[in-house]
Amino acid sequence: MSEFARLPRHVAIIMDGNGRWAKQHKIKIALGHRQGVEALRSIIRESSDLGIEALSLYAFSTENWKRDPQEVDALMGLLLEFFSSEIDELDEKNVCIRILGDKAGLPEKQRQAVVSAEERTKGNTGLHLNIALNYGGRAELVLAARTLAERVRKGEMTPDEITEETLAQALYTKGLPDVDLLIRTSGEMRLSNFLLYQCAYAEFEFPTVLWPDFTLDHYHRALREFAGRDRRFGGRNE
Ligand code: FPP
């Protein structure tokens, strides 16, 4: 039985602070990201064990290409490592992997690795693990608008049928519930173009801990905090 009175169905995490963590430890940024992957392994496992429906992780934004090429290479390398080392366990745990973002813009090896992970786990019915890669929330909305416009042009739907629901079904997160809880580590309090539409009624948690130091204890604290929140969705709870 879960120790939490109420669990979020969908948790989103902005894993911030790897660079500062590396600086604090006087090591290369790449090693900060590597430590960040360690933190995310245990959070994924715990989310699956708790029975959370969806976990969305912001791994690489469309703006992250602006970083030093060495750092970008390190992140792309970690991505490949992650998929080759974790895929068996994730599949065994019935985790369904989905990439949020423009996969076509990824380097070929990374694109193939993520497509094959999606393909291999698409029938799994456990945790939906969404990894945002080459992702931008505004770009996602533009893409959805284009998809719907195209369907109207082809006569498959009318403009009146463009609703909150049909728009949601044209997003990368199609079929998944809205984000209930968004966690951003390192004390920064911004959404940074992450899941703009899906976070409309999300609860926010901003722990000051840097991502590589984020433990199960911090995760549980955020989940307990969420369970105590009074969610009104614009209405009133008497
Ligand atoms: C933010 O820290 C973190 C990122 C831009 C990348 C997050 C990626 C990982 C944790 C690893 C790769 C993911 C997978 C799925 C293998 P920052 O570098 O912006 O930190 P700073 O603000 O302290 O500089």
Side-chain angles (χ1 to χ4, degrees):
M1 194 51 202
S2 165
E3 63 170 296
F4 307 100
R6 185 164 50 98
L7 276 172
R9 293 179 67 193
H10 188 168
V11 177
I13 307 186
I14 303 180
M15 309 177 286
D16 200 3
N18 296 347
R20 275 162 284 170
W21 189 89
K23 212 170 190 178
Q24 270 181 10
H25 289 77
K26 300 189 171 50
I27 54 176
K28 289 199 175 124
I29 286 185
L31 293 173
H33 291 310
R34 181 172 288 281
Q35 202 56 38
V37 176
E38 291 308 314
L40 91 89
R41 277 200 178 104
S42 67
I43 298 306
I44 294 172
R45 212 169 288 139
E46 180 69 355
S47 305
S48 161
D49 292 347
L50 285 171
I52 286 172
E53 255 175 82
L55 174 67
S56 297
L57 302 168
Y58 208 178
F60 197 89
S61 75
T62 44
E63 286 71 39
N64 287 152
W65 298 110
K66 291 187 247 170
R67 294 192 178 194
D68 184 286
Q70 266 193 348
E71 184 178 355
V72 172
D73 281 355
L75 280 166
M76 290 297 141
L78 282 172
L79 195 68
L80 278 188
E81 260 183 55
F82 175 83
F83 279 99
S84 73
S85 67
E86 302 303 301
I87 189 69
D88 287 342
E89 185 185 336
L90 293 173
D91 193 21
E92 218 160 274
K93 277 189 166 293
N94 201 18
V95 172
C96 175
I97 297 172
R98 192 189 296 192
I99 303 305
L100 315 180
D102 180 12
K103 286 180 285 206
L106 292 173
E108 189 51 24
K109 267 198 206 155
Q110 281 71 10
R111 198 191 61 77
Q112 279 179 13
V114 299
V115 167
S116 114
E118 282 185 318
E119 197 53 36
R120 173 165 166 186
T121 63
K122 69 177 179 205
N124 288 351
T125 53
L127 174 73
H128 285 274
L129 174 62
N130 303 319
I131 303 184
L133 281 177
N134 197 19
Y135 173 88
R138 286 185 174 178
E140 179 183 32
L141 285 165
V142 169
L143 187 65
R146 279 201 197 128
T147 304
L148 296 177
E150 188 60 22
R151 290 183 55 199
V152 169
R153 194 184 63 81
K154 287 186 185 152
E156 293 170 6
M157 69 191 293
T158 64
D160 290 353
E161 285 169 336
I162 299 179
T163 61
E164 293 188 10
E165 286 71 32
T166 53
L167 184 72
Q169 291 313 306
L171 299 173
Y172 293 123
T173 47
K174 173 184 171 155
L176 298 176
D178 278 351
V179 173
D180 296 302
L181 171 64
L182 178 121
I183 301 170
R184 181 174 190 149
T185 54
S186 88
E188 305 290 347
M189 297 183 203
R190 289 186 294 278
L191 202 44
S192 298
N193 206 13
F194 192 41
L195 301 176
L196 298 179
Y197 193 82
Q198 300 87 336
C199 280
Y201 284 101
E203 297 292 329
F204 291 83
E205 272 292 306
F206 299 110
T208 52
V209 61
L210 303 177
W211 176 252
D213 288 330
F214 191 78
T215 60
L216 286 188
D217 217 31
H218 295 107
Y219 193 30
H220 290 170
R221 222 174 290 166
L223 292 173
R224 271 196 296 273
E225 178 68 27
F226 171 83
R229 296 269 175 98
D230 179 21
R231 301 184 82 200
R232 292 189 291 274
F233 299 94
R236 268 188 221 293
N237 293 342
E238 296 310 326

